[in-house]
Short mmCIF file of all heavy atoms in Angstrom, two decimals:
data_model
loop_
_atom_site.label_atom_id
_atom_site.label_comp_id
_atom_site.label_asym_id
_atom_site.label_seq_id
_atom_site.Cartn_x
_atom_site.Cartn_y
_atom_site.Cartn_z
N PRO A 552 -4.19 -2.91 -2.11
CA PRO A 552 -5.46 -2.41 -1.56
C PRO A 552 -6.09 -3.35 -0.54
O PRO A 552 -6.61 -2.90 0.49
CB PRO A 552 -6.33 -2.27 -2.82
CG PRO A 552 -5.38 -2.14 -3.95
CD PRO A 552 -4.22 -3.01 -3.57
N ALA A 553 -6.02 -4.65 -0.80
CA ALA A 553 -6.62 -5.60 0.12
C ALA A 553 -5.92 -5.62 1.47
O ALA A 553 -6.52 -5.97 2.49
CB ALA A 553 -6.61 -7.00 -0.50
N ALA A 554 -4.64 -5.22 1.50
CA ALA A 554 -3.90 -5.20 2.77
C ALA A 554 -4.35 -4.06 3.68
O ALA A 554 -4.03 -4.07 4.87
CB ALA A 554 -2.40 -5.08 2.49
N GLY A 555 -5.09 -3.09 3.13
CA GLY A 555 -5.59 -2.01 3.97
C GLY A 555 -5.40 -0.63 3.39
O GLY A 555 -5.76 0.36 4.03
N LEU A 556 -4.86 -0.51 2.18
CA LEU A 556 -4.64 0.80 1.56
C LEU A 556 -5.59 1.02 0.39
O LEU A 556 -5.21 1.58 -0.63
CB LEU A 556 -3.18 0.92 1.09
CG LEU A 556 -2.17 1.38 2.12
CD1 LEU A 556 -0.76 1.35 1.54
CD2 LEU A 556 -2.48 2.77 2.65
N GLU A 557 -6.83 0.60 0.55
CA GLU A 557 -7.76 0.72 -0.57
C GLU A 557 -8.32 2.14 -0.72
O GLU A 557 -8.76 2.52 -1.80
CB GLU A 557 -8.92 -0.27 -0.40
CG GLU A 557 -9.88 0.03 0.75
CD GLU A 557 -9.36 -0.40 2.11
OE1 GLU A 557 -8.24 -0.94 2.16
OE2 GLU A 557 -10.06 -0.19 3.11
N ASP A 558 -8.29 2.94 0.33
CA ASP A 558 -8.92 4.26 0.28
C ASP A 558 -7.90 5.34 0.64
O ASP A 558 -7.69 5.65 1.81
CB ASP A 558 -10.12 4.30 1.24
CG ASP A 558 -10.94 5.57 1.08
OD1 ASP A 558 -10.62 6.36 0.16
OD2 ASP A 558 -11.88 5.79 1.88
N CYS A 559 -7.25 5.91 -0.38
CA CYS A 559 -6.30 7.01 -0.19
C CYS A 559 -6.69 8.13 -1.15
O CYS A 559 -6.08 8.30 -2.22
CB CYS A 559 -4.86 6.55 -0.46
SG CYS A 559 -4.32 5.15 0.53
N PRO A 560 -7.70 8.92 -0.80
CA PRO A 560 -8.26 9.87 -1.77
C PRO A 560 -7.32 11.00 -2.16
O PRO A 560 -7.54 11.63 -3.21
CB PRO A 560 -9.49 10.41 -1.03
CG PRO A 560 -9.19 10.21 0.42
CD PRO A 560 -8.39 8.96 0.50
N ASN A 561 -6.30 11.29 -1.36
CA ASN A 561 -5.42 12.42 -1.64
C ASN A 561 -3.98 12.01 -1.91
O ASN A 561 -3.08 12.85 -1.86
CB ASN A 561 -5.46 13.41 -0.46
CG ASN A 561 -6.84 14.01 -0.27
OD1 ASN A 561 -7.43 14.54 -1.20
ND2 ASN A 561 -7.37 13.91 0.95
N LEU A 562 -3.75 10.74 -2.19
CA LEU A 562 -2.40 10.27 -2.49
C LEU A 562 -1.93 10.85 -3.82
O LEU A 562 -2.54 10.63 -4.86
CB LEU A 562 -2.37 8.74 -2.54
CG LEU A 562 -1.00 8.11 -2.80
CD1 LEU A 562 -0.05 8.40 -1.64
CD2 LEU A 562 -1.13 6.60 -3.00
N GLU A 563 -0.84 11.61 -3.79
CA GLU A 563 -0.34 12.30 -4.97
C GLU A 563 0.93 11.68 -5.54
O GLU A 563 1.18 11.76 -6.74
CB GLU A 563 -0.05 13.77 -4.64
CG GLU A 563 -1.27 14.56 -4.19
CD GLU A 563 -0.90 15.95 -3.76
OE1 GLU A 563 0.32 16.25 -3.71
OE2 GLU A 563 -1.81 16.75 -3.46
N GLU A 564 1.75 11.07 -4.68
CA GLU A 564 3.06 10.60 -5.13
C GLU A 564 3.34 9.23 -4.55
O GLU A 564 3.06 8.98 -3.37
CB GLU A 564 4.15 11.59 -4.72
CG GLU A 564 5.54 11.22 -5.21
CD GLU A 564 6.58 12.28 -4.89
OE1 GLU A 564 6.20 13.33 -4.33
OE2 GLU A 564 7.77 12.05 -5.19
N ILE A 565 3.90 8.36 -5.37
CA ILE A 565 4.26 7.02 -4.91
C ILE A 565 5.66 6.68 -5.40
O ILE A 565 6.04 7.04 -6.52
CB ILE A 565 3.23 5.97 -5.40
CG1 ILE A 565 3.49 4.62 -4.73
CG2 ILE A 565 3.24 5.84 -6.90
CD1 ILE A 565 2.36 3.62 -4.95
N ARG A 566 6.43 6.02 -4.55
CA ARG A 566 7.75 5.52 -4.92
C ARG A 566 7.76 4.01 -4.70
O ARG A 566 7.42 3.54 -3.60
CB ARG A 566 8.85 6.17 -4.09
CG ARG A 566 10.24 5.59 -4.38
CD ARG A 566 11.33 6.25 -3.57
NE ARG A 566 12.61 5.59 -3.77
CZ ARG A 566 13.47 5.85 -4.75
NH1 ARG A 566 13.17 6.79 -5.63
NH2 ARG A 566 14.61 5.21 -4.87
N ILE A 567 8.13 3.28 -5.72
CA ILE A 567 8.18 1.82 -5.65
C ILE A 567 9.61 1.38 -5.89
O ILE A 567 10.19 1.66 -6.95
CB ILE A 567 7.24 1.17 -6.67
CG1 ILE A 567 5.80 1.64 -6.44
CG2 ILE A 567 7.32 -0.35 -6.59
CD1 ILE A 567 4.83 1.17 -7.50
N LYS A 568 10.19 0.73 -4.90
CA LYS A 568 11.56 0.23 -5.00
C LYS A 568 11.50 -1.29 -5.16
O LYS A 568 11.03 -2.00 -4.26
CB LYS A 568 12.33 0.60 -3.73
CG LYS A 568 13.72 0.00 -3.62
CD LYS A 568 14.71 0.67 -4.55
CE LYS A 568 16.13 0.18 -4.30
NZ LYS A 568 17.09 0.81 -5.20
N MET A 569 11.94 -1.77 -6.30
CA MET A 569 11.94 -3.20 -6.57
C MET A 569 13.37 -3.72 -6.50
O MET A 569 14.28 -3.11 -7.05
CB MET A 569 11.34 -3.46 -7.94
CG MET A 569 10.86 -4.89 -8.13
SD MET A 569 10.06 -5.08 -9.74
CE MET A 569 8.93 -3.70 -9.73
N GLU A 570 13.56 -4.81 -5.80
CA GLU A 570 14.91 -5.28 -5.54
C GLU A 570 14.97 -6.79 -5.63
O GLU A 570 14.03 -7.48 -5.21
CB GLU A 570 15.35 -4.81 -4.14
CG GLU A 570 16.81 -5.04 -3.83
CD GLU A 570 17.19 -4.45 -2.48
OE1 GLU A 570 16.49 -3.54 -2.00
OE2 GLU A 570 18.20 -4.91 -1.92
N GLY A 571 16.06 -7.29 -6.19
CA GLY A 571 16.25 -8.73 -6.25
C GLY A 571 16.94 -9.16 -7.54
O GLY A 571 17.28 -8.34 -8.40
N ASP A 572 17.14 -10.45 -7.66
CA ASP A 572 17.84 -11.02 -8.79
C ASP A 572 16.85 -11.79 -9.67
O ASP A 572 16.22 -12.75 -9.21
CB ASP A 572 18.95 -11.96 -8.30
CG ASP A 572 19.98 -12.25 -9.38
OD1 ASP A 572 19.63 -12.13 -10.57
OD2 ASP A 572 21.13 -12.59 -9.04
N CYS A 573 16.69 -11.31 -10.91
CA CYS A 573 15.78 -11.99 -11.84
C CYS A 573 16.36 -13.31 -12.35
O CYS A 573 15.60 -14.17 -12.84
CB CYS A 573 15.47 -11.09 -13.03
SG CYS A 573 14.64 -9.55 -12.62
N ARG A 574 17.67 -13.44 -12.26
CA ARG A 574 18.31 -14.65 -12.77
C ARG A 574 17.92 -15.84 -11.89
O ARG A 574 18.10 -15.82 -10.68
CB ARG A 574 19.83 -14.47 -12.78
CG ARG A 574 20.28 -13.37 -13.73
CD ARG A 574 21.73 -13.01 -13.55
NE ARG A 574 21.98 -12.37 -12.26
CZ ARG A 574 23.12 -11.78 -11.92
NH1 ARG A 574 24.12 -11.75 -12.80
NH2 ARG A 574 23.26 -11.24 -10.75
N GLY A 575 17.37 -16.84 -12.50
CA GLY A 575 16.91 -18.00 -11.75
C GLY A 575 15.47 -17.92 -11.31
O GLY A 575 14.91 -18.92 -10.83
N GLN A 576 14.83 -16.76 -11.48
CA GLN A 576 13.43 -16.64 -11.12
C GLN A 576 12.56 -17.35 -12.16
O GLN A 576 12.82 -17.27 -13.36
CB GLN A 576 13.02 -15.16 -11.05
CG GLN A 576 13.56 -14.42 -9.85
CD GLN A 576 12.71 -14.66 -8.61
OE1 GLN A 576 11.63 -15.23 -8.68
NE2 GLN A 576 13.23 -14.24 -7.47
N PRO A 577 11.51 -18.03 -11.73
CA PRO A 577 10.62 -18.65 -12.71
C PRO A 577 9.82 -17.59 -13.46
O PRO A 577 9.65 -16.46 -13.00
CB PRO A 577 9.70 -19.52 -11.84
CG PRO A 577 9.72 -18.85 -10.49
CD PRO A 577 11.10 -18.28 -10.34
N LYS A 578 9.32 -17.94 -14.61
CA LYS A 578 8.50 -17.03 -15.39
C LYS A 578 7.22 -16.73 -14.63
O LYS A 578 6.56 -17.65 -14.13
CB LYS A 578 8.18 -17.65 -16.75
CG LYS A 578 7.37 -16.75 -17.65
CD LYS A 578 7.11 -17.41 -18.99
CE LYS A 578 6.28 -16.48 -19.89
NZ LYS A 578 6.03 -17.10 -21.21
#
Side-chain angles (χ1 to χ4, degrees):
L556 275 176
E557 69 281 359
D558 189 5
C559 303
N561 297 307
L562 182 65
E563 299 174 354
E564 183 175 357
I565 189 169
R566 176 180 174 85
I567 301 174
K568 173 74 173 180
M569 200 176 310
E570 190 175 337
D572 198 336
C573 298
R574 296 169 293 190
Q576 287 279 350
K578 182 179 180 179

